[in-house]
Amino acid sequence: MSKVTIQLKDIQLAQLNNDCLKQVVKFLRALKAHNGVSLRMQDADILLQISDQSHRTRNKELKGLYADLKSKILESMRQTLELDR
């Protein structure tokens, strides 16, 4: 089986399931509470912005939320790819 690589820049929020969207909201709320940075879900590159913020911080909560988001995105994309078969 070949490995499929998906870039965050190629994923739009509309492609993600509800679990992913809830995780995005959790991350955005935690980010704002942690350092006052407010990101908008409507931004086309919101997933890249979240990734960038996660890599910049030392906050364990944000890093954990981002790790959970990544796994939820992978699962959502797997489900989408399986449905397309």
Side-chain angles (χ1 to χ4, degrees):
M1 179 177 231
S2 65
K3 183 178 177 181
V4 176
T5 303
I6 300 172
Q7 301 286 321
L8 282 179
K9 67 181 177 77
D10 297 329
I11 301 172
Q12 297 176 4
L13 286 185
Q15 296 174 280
L16 301 176
N17 63 23
N18 286 338
D19 285 341
C20 290
L21 298 178
K22 289 176 188 176
Q23 194 66 24
V24 168
V25 170
K26 281 183 188 179
F27 184 92
L28 295 180
R29 287 182 180 161
L31 178 66
K32 184 164 184 163
H34 172 64
N35 62 9
V37 172
S38 182
L39 301 178
R40 296 172 23 123
M41 279 189 72
Q42 296 82 3
D43 291 346
D45 64 343
I46 188 63
L47 295 176
L48 289 176
Q49 291 181 52
I50 289 172
S51 174
D52 183 52
Q53 289 294 326
S54 173
H55 288 93
R56 288 181 182 200
T57 190
R58 290 184 181 176
N59 182 279
K60 290 181 181 182
E61 178 188 10
L62 289 174
K63 290 204 175 278
L65 288 170
Y66 181 65
D68 290 345
L69 176 59
K70 285 194 313 185
S71 66
K72 288 179 188 305
I73 289 172
L74 286 172
E75 182 59 31
S76 180
M77 291 292 101
R78 267 191 221 112
Q79 289 172 356
T80 301
L81 291 172
E82 287 173 5
L83 291 174
D84 288 345
R85 288 183 187 178

